[in-house]
Amino acid sequence: MSTRTLQWVNTPVLVEAILRYQQGRLPKSMRLWVEQLLEINTQVESPLLNHGRQS
């Protein structure tokens, strides 16, 4: 098992990266960074941010 190092990420920067990731507007290096940071399973399509309200 590999150990994970902690990373500090500015929230507005991360949110913008997530939005661009969902829109397909990130360069490959940034896309891979977001996938690694958020441990995204690229085999499953699900939204990262929910723009609607849940009741």
Side-chain angles (χ1 to χ4, degrees), residues 5-43:
T5 58
L6 294 177
Q7 294 181 16
W8 182 86
V9 180
N10 185 314
T11 302
V13 170
L14 181 58
V15 170
E16 183 66 26
I18 291 171
L19 290 172
R20 290 183 185 198
Y21 178 89
Q22 288 185 307
Q23 296 168 352
R25 298 184 327 148
L26 278 181
K28 185 176 182 178
S29 61
M30 286 295 293
R31 189 179 75 237
L32 294 173
W33 174 76
V34 169
E35 290 171 355
Q36 181 181 12
L37 181 69
L38 301 178
E39 298 179 354
I40 296 172
N41 180 354
T42 57
Q43 305 300 319

